[in-house]
Amino acid sequence: MKIITNSPLETFELGKKVGENIKAPISLLIEGSLGSGKTTFIRGVLSYFGYDIVRSPSFLYVYEYKIPEGKIYHLDLYRIEIEDIDKKLNLSEIMDEKSIFLVEWPFKVRNLNFPNSYEVRINVISDTKREFISDFFKFIKI
């Protein structure tokens, strides 16, 4: 399913709508070029859960957010070397049935079995316009 957003605010609102409909365990594997809106989308998801300040974990690789049902992990794997993933992230320790994973640059962890994974592809159409493609969108009302 495809959804077009016409501004960063619409991208944020799409993320918020996803937040309303996301339930653990689930993983959204978010792909897109630099500046495509991955973090803006994730900010929207986390805003639904009451988080107003969301930074990309570019240098720390993962941020953890507590929610009533468990935890949300926001991973940004852009700067991590593939061979360092297990050593630096300890993913096997944080994967459980009460977690939601929002993963930027997921191609680096294709061999890992994230729970209930859905790819979210972001294509840049123009400076402000984005195309979001995901099978997960069939579960939300836009």
Side-chain angles (χ1 to χ4, degrees):
M1 182 172 186
K2 295 180 184 181
I3 297 173
I4 303 291
T5 63
N6 294 296
S7 69
L9 179 59
E10 285 186 17
T11 295
F12 177 88
E13 291 298 325
L14 174 60
K16 199 169 186 178
K17 195 69 162 169
V18 167
E20 290 176 31
N21 293 278
I22 201 167
K23 302 285 184 258
I26 195 167
S27 303
L28 297 182
L29 308 178
I30 305 162
E31 297 186 30
S33 60
L34 281 172
S36 62
K38 295 179 297 295
T39 303
T40 300
F41 175 77
I42 290 171
R43 282 185 181 119
V45 173
L46 287 165
S47 77
Y48 173 77
F49 293 97
Y51 288 95
D52 295 327
I53 298 173
V54 175
R55 293 181 180 90
S56 181
S58 296
F59 294 99
L60 299 176
Y61 311 120
V62 62
Y63 284 147
E64 176 184 301
Y65 299 89
K66 293 182 184 190
I67 58 173
E69 303 82 23
K71 295 179 182 175
I72 295 177
Y73 293 98
H74 175 192
L75 288 79
D76 184 333
L77 305 178
Y78 181 71
R79 288 183 170 80
I80 197 167
E81 297 298 323
I82 293 173
E83 58 273 4
D84 292 336
I85 287 175
D86 288 336
K87 181 174 67 176
K88 291 186 177 181
L89 297 183
N90 296 319
L91 290 177
S92 60
E93 292 179 20
I94 63 175
M95 283 193 197
D96 63 41
E97 69 281 348
K98 296 179 181 174
S99 297
I100 294 170
F101 291 90
L102 306 173
V103 185
E104 298 184 51
W105 306 99
F107 68 89
K108 292 189 174 187
V109 291
R110 288 272 187 246
N111 60 332
L112 296 177
N113 292 318
F114 281 97
N116 301 322
S117 296
Y118 290 91
E119 289 186 16
V120 177
R121 176 80 193 146
I122 306 172
N123 296 318
V124 176
I125 297 172
S126 71
D127 287 348
T128 57
K129 196 172 193 174
R130 303 294 188 258
E131 175 187 57
F132 287 78
I133 303 169
S134 180
D135 287 341
F136 180 77
F137 297 150
K138 66 185 173 190
F139 301 116
I140 64 176
K141 293 180 182 175
I142 301 294

